[in-house]
Amino acid sequence: MNKESNSYIFLYSTVLIVVVAVLLAVAATALKPAQLENAKTEKRLQILSAIGVTGSVEGQQDKKAYVQALYERYIKEELVVGWDGLVRSSAVAFDLDMDQQLASQKRGGEGQFSVFVARLDDGSQKYIFPMAGAGLWGPIWGYMALDGDLNTVYGASFSHKGETPGLGAEIETVEFCDQFKGKRLYDGGNFKSIAVVKGGAQGAYQVDGISGGTMTSNGVQQMIRESLSMYVKYIEQQRKGLGDE
Amino acid sequence: MSSSLFSKANVALLKAPLGLKNPITVLVLGICSSLAVTAKLKPAIVMALSVTVVTGMSNLVLSLMRKTIPNRIRIIVQLVVVAALVILVDEVLKAYVPDVSKQLSVFVGLIITNCIIMGRIEAFALANRPWPSLLDGLGNGFGYGVVLVVVGFFRELFGSGQLLGYQVVPASWYVSNGGFYENNGLFIMPSMALILLAILIWIQRAVRKELVEE
């Protein structure tokens, strides 16, 4: 057949597309279970990272088992709460996708949000709240860990899909996350959230953004406010129960 | 018919892009990603390795296919093959080495658009046999990698005072710690990468006069 003829071109493109499509589909399906397991391990690690108990995960032979053991050791409860602050029992807390739930809530539907309750080695209880938002190039997400007073931040971890390396991607670094330790969300009864500012963060409600990563930093600020406001009612009710501040 | 695997001509394919035929400084390809990923040294290295692997593999595959590709859909076919290769590699990494994949996932989009890959396919793989094409792809990847590492080195050193995340500039030197030193914020900006590239080209041409056009 003449290589330049229309029918050859048509046939060639069809065959090429079909081969590539089949190849990619087969690969994706075959690899999916392994990828899902890795995603779960990654999620557990990020939750643990918010309370700073990742241990020496880097050098581990079986990372999956190590993280799982750490997770079971520190995370005592996985709750599902609604915007009204009431605890639900309908969904598996770990599998909830914060991004989807936020969208669901916006559409007027019933968003369901997970809360992870951790107990540290010293017996203190921490509350870990997932957050999801938008960076410059794609989704960003993270976990905010609060002390028992449900106001002071114990720690935070952030992650992203495709922010610029060296700039927006720096939100993942220890240096950025450590800034949140000790910051506060509430001023009295007022939910103030935490602002990510350009240079010279002051006080308990501000942290420094990333130089050259302004868009991502703004995304982080927006994400914290939007995601954590879903838990405001839950936090209020917990505080009443604890009877403090 | 076929020369030995590592004949002089074949070895030259590996070495030429490191100097006189460098894809970035001489062929002026792949500039965009060399600006984007060199703010720090580690992503620069990851990107360099990925581009090397992808350029080599796509050169190989397309060279094997070269006698069957209709001329009119040539570019489209190249795109499809390169994209499929990159996605396949990424999927496998995600399943078995998720940490590497996480670092790479940012670059996947950037790799596919890297002119070096399409450039070498057009200029070499479509007209040469598979083994030399593979070598050419790898060689150009190395040449790209060398430039990326050099630019990344200076950008991270002067822009963040670090190398591979390790603090190189002593902390006590910084103004915030009572010293005199400030990181040069301009180095974090992509424009600085362009300036550094220009300086590299300048140095290369000063040393190798044969590169200067008449």
Side-chain angles (χ1 to χ4, degrees), chain A residues 8-22:
Chain A
Y8 180 89
I9 292 179
F10 205 72
L11 195 64
Y12 193 86
S13 341
T14 312
V15 170
L16 180 68
I17 296 307
V18 168
V19 167
V20 167
V22 167

Side-chain angles (χ1 to χ4, degrees), chain A residues 3-4 6 8-9 12-13 16 20 23-24 27-28 31 34-35 38 42 63 161 163 165-167 170 172 212, chain B residues 40 43 65 67-73 77 80 84 88 91-92 94-96 98-99 102 105-107 188:
Chain A
K3 203 174 79 168
E4 304 303 327
N6 284 342
Y8 180 89
I9 292 179
Y12 193 86
S13 341
L16 180 68
V20 167
L23 207 64
L24 290 179
L31 297 170
Q35 292 175 351
N38 287 330
E42 193 57 39
K63 182 172 171 190
K161 180 157 191 270
E163 301 308 286
L167 301 177
E170 294 290 290
E172 265 186 334
Chain B
K40 301 245 160 167
M65 285 169 68
K67 300 220 170 104
T68 68
I69 306 176
N71 209 35
R72 279 188 279 174
I73 55 169
V77 169
V80 170
L88 255 177
E91 290 291 309
V92 171
K94 264 210 285 255
Y96 296 114
D99 292 328
K102 233 179 71 151
S105 62
V106 186
F107 303 109
I188 301 187

Side-chain angles (χ1 to χ4, degrees), chain B residues 5-125:
Chain B
L5 277 186
F6 284 104
S7 67
K8 252 189 138 177
N10 287 344
V11 170
L13 289 173
L14 277 177
K15 284 174 38 180
L18 287 172
L20 280 178
K21 292 218 172 115
N22 188 287
I24 300 187
T25 60
V26 178
L27 304 181
V28 195
L29 293 173
I31 304 289
C32 329
S33 52
S34 41
L35 303 188
V37 307
T38 48
K40 301 245 160 167
L41 192 50
K42 191 159 167 201
I45 296 178
V46 174
M47 182 61 151
L49 283 172
S50 329
V51 167
T52 305
V53 168
V54 174
T55 314
M57 280 187 350
S58 52
N59 257 20
L60 180 65
V61 170
L62 279 156
S63 174
L64 288 167
M65 285 169 68
R66 74 187 186 282
K67 300 220 170 104
T68 68
I69 306 176
N71 209 35
R72 279 188 279 174
I73 55 169
R74 194 175 87 241
I75 302 282
I76 301 172
V77 169
Q78 292 169 21
L79 264 173
V80 170
V81 169
V82 175
L85 271 173
V86 175
I87 295 173
L88 255 177
V89 167
D90 188 40
E91 290 291 309
V92 171
L93 288 180
K94 264 210 285 255
Y96 296 114
V97 232
D99 292 328
V100 176
S101 159
K102 233 179 71 151
Q103 293 180 21
L104 196 57
S105 62
V106 186
F107 303 109
V108 167
L110 286 177
I111 297 175
I112 298 176
T113 59
N114 195 322
C115 324
I116 294 180
I117 301 180
M118 297 279 278
R120 292 323 293 167
I121 294 172
E122 280 281 289
F124 198 91

Side-chain angles (χ1 to χ4, degrees), chain A:
Chain A
M1 200 186 262
N2 176 14
K3 203 174 79 168
E4 304 303 327
S5 69
N6 284 342
S7 38
Y8 180 89
I9 292 179
F10 205 72
L11 195 64
Y12 193 86
S13 341
T14 312
V15 170
L16 180 68
I17 296 307
V18 168
V19 167
V20 167
V22 167
L23 207 64
L24 290 179
V26 165
T29 318
L31 297 170
K32 203 167 178 96
Q35 292 175 351
L36 278 178
E37 271 308 305
N38 287 330
K40 277 196 181 160
T41 302
E42 193 57 39
K43 188 168 179 176
R44 287 192 191 109
L45 194 57
Q46 282 168 16
I47 294 174
L48 292 172
S49 188
I51 48 174
V53 293
T54 50
S56 56
V57 71
E58 298 297 313
Q60 291 303 320
Q61 283 287 60
D62 189 350
K63 182 172 171 190
K64 186 175 129 193
Y66 182 77
V67 171
Q68 182 132 3
L70 270 183
Y71 188 80
E72 280 161 14
R73 175 169 154 194
Y74 288 106
I75 307 296
K76 293 302 169 197
E77 265 186 280
E78 295 175 348
L79 306 166
V80 179
V81 303
W83 184 69
D84 53 16
L86 295 176
V87 178
R88 306 261 190 291
S89 55
S90 50
V92 180
F94 187 81
D95 293 330
L96 286 177
D97 185 321
M98 188 64 184
D99 200 38
Q100 281 176 2
Q101 295 305 321
L102 280 171
S104 193
Q105 180 72 22
K106 264 203 198 113
R107 280 196 301 268
E110 277 284 299
Q112 300 189 8
F113 308 101
S114 13
V115 181
F116 301 95
V117 185
R119 180 154 296 123
L120 298 185
D121 290 332
D122 61 8
S124 61
Q125 196 157 284
K126 308 289 174 199
Y127 296 80
I128 306 173
F129 300 91
M131 308 177 283
L136 173 57
W137 297 111
I140 55 176
W141 60 94
Y143 297 90
M144 186 76 78
L146 299 184
D147 278 336
D149 67 353
L150 284 167
N151 183 11
T152 317
V153 177
Y154 180 69
S157 63
F158 295 96
S159 202
H160 64 92
K161 180 157 191 270
E163 301 308 286
T164 315
L167 301 177
E170 294 290 290
I171 58 172
E172 265 186 334
T173 60
V174 171
E175 291 77 23
F176 182 76
C177 298
D178 271 355
Q179 291 186 96
F180 287 85
K181 291 186 179 165
K183 299 291 174 186
R184 292 200 294 278
L185 293 173
Y186 284 84
D187 187 0
N190 233 8
F191 175 60
K192 255 187 106 164
S193 189
I194 297 180
V196 182
V197 299
K198 248 185 177 169
Q202 287 179 333
Y205 304 96
Q206 292 187 348
V207 296
D208 279 321
I210 310 277
S211 291
T214 312
M215 305 293 287
T216 310
S217 305
N218 290 346
V220 170
Q221 176 175 300
Q222 172 79 357
M223 167 172 80
I224 297 177
R225 167 167 290 281
E226 204 184 308
S227 301
L228 293 184
S229 26
M230 295 297 130
Y231 297 99
V232 163
K233 292 235 158 75
Y234 170 75
I235 291 179
E236 270 172 24
Q237 285 165 21
Q238 287 298 105
R239 290 244 207 100
K240 275 200 214 111
L242 294 170
D244 52 287
E245 280 172 331

